[in-house]
Amino acid sequence: AVVSTQSTGRMKKMDVGGKVKNMDVGGKVKQMDPGGIMPGDTGGVSGALKSVIPGMAGPWSSPLFGCFDDIGICLIAWLAPCVTAGQNAEGAGVADCLVGGILALVPLVNIVCAFKIRGAIRKKYNLEGSPEMDLLFILCCPLCTIAQEARELKHQGVSPAQPQMPRI
């Protein structure tokens, strides 16, 4: 059976052994994985589009251990984590900056707050992850976690200098 994919104009052909091969316009045959995706092919969905398509989570803008991607955030997160946690809480719409910063100083409460903040950021920007992974990251490397959240908020255009919660 021959199937045409309109997005790329390539022809896919299933051989007798059950392996999917891709034939381009020039007649070259390329081996594909069993899922039908070429090596290096994203399946036609870019990271930017994943955040728009319902049900498809996109990647975080920087990795968990990418602390040095933004040295300013890294230094503040490591030297005064309550400041970054408060800014993240406000940026995620979970709590006021001051309240979030104070709660970050209270043992056990800080874990619950960090969990809510990370979950809110993940949900708001449709990012990859799960509650279980959030908890694992928070417990194993809390400073890298709040730094990653701060970088994500910055990437999304949320500035710590601009209040996100209404002031009374």
Side-chain angles (χ1 to χ4, degrees):
V2 176
V3 179
S4 174
T5 57
Q6 294 178 357
S7 62
T8 61
R10 297 183 211 154
M11 302 295 284
K12 292 182 184 176
K13 185 177 181 180
M14 180 79 75
D15 70 4
V16 180
K19 294 181 181 176
V20 179
K21 296 193 179 198
N22 186 37
M23 185 174 292
D24 65 7
V25 179
K28 297 179 185 174
V29 177
K30 298 178 181 176
Q31 186 68 36
M32 299 174 74
D33 72 3
I37 298 175
M38 296 286 297
D41 188 8
T42 60
V45 180
S46 70
L49 288 176
K50 285 183 179 179
S51 62
V52 177
I53 300 171
M56 290 194 70
W60 289 75
S61 63
S62 64
L64 181 66
F65 299 111
C67 291
F68 296 112
D69 290 352
D70 188 321
I71 197 69
I73 289 175
C74 177
L75 287 173
I76 295 171
W78 282 80
L79 298 175
C82 60
V83 172
T84 307
Q87 292 171 343
N88 290 351
E90 186 158 325
V94 173
D96 181 82
C97 183
L98 180 63
V99 172
I102 291 171
L103 292 176
L105 297 171
V106 181
L108 298 181
V109 173
N110 60 357
I111 295 171
V112 173
C113 289
F115 182 76
K116 287 187 177 223
I117 292 166
R118 189 163 181 89
I121 292 171
R122 237 183 350 92
K123 185 176 180 182
K124 187 174 185 178
Y125 300 111
N126 197 19
L127 300 170
E128 296 172 340
S130 66
E132 296 82 12
M133 292 304 295
D134 290 348
L135 187 59
L136 180 68
F137 293 153
I138 290 164
L139 294 175
C140 293
C141 195
L143 300 178
C144 290
T145 303
I146 63 170
Q148 182 189 34
E149 293 162 4
R151 290 189 307 273
E152 185 65 40
L153 289 170
K154 183 178 179 181
H155 175 76
Q156 297 293 343
V158 178
S159 171
Q162 298 172 341
Q164 301 300 312
M165 308 254 328
R167 300 288 185 218
I168 299 175

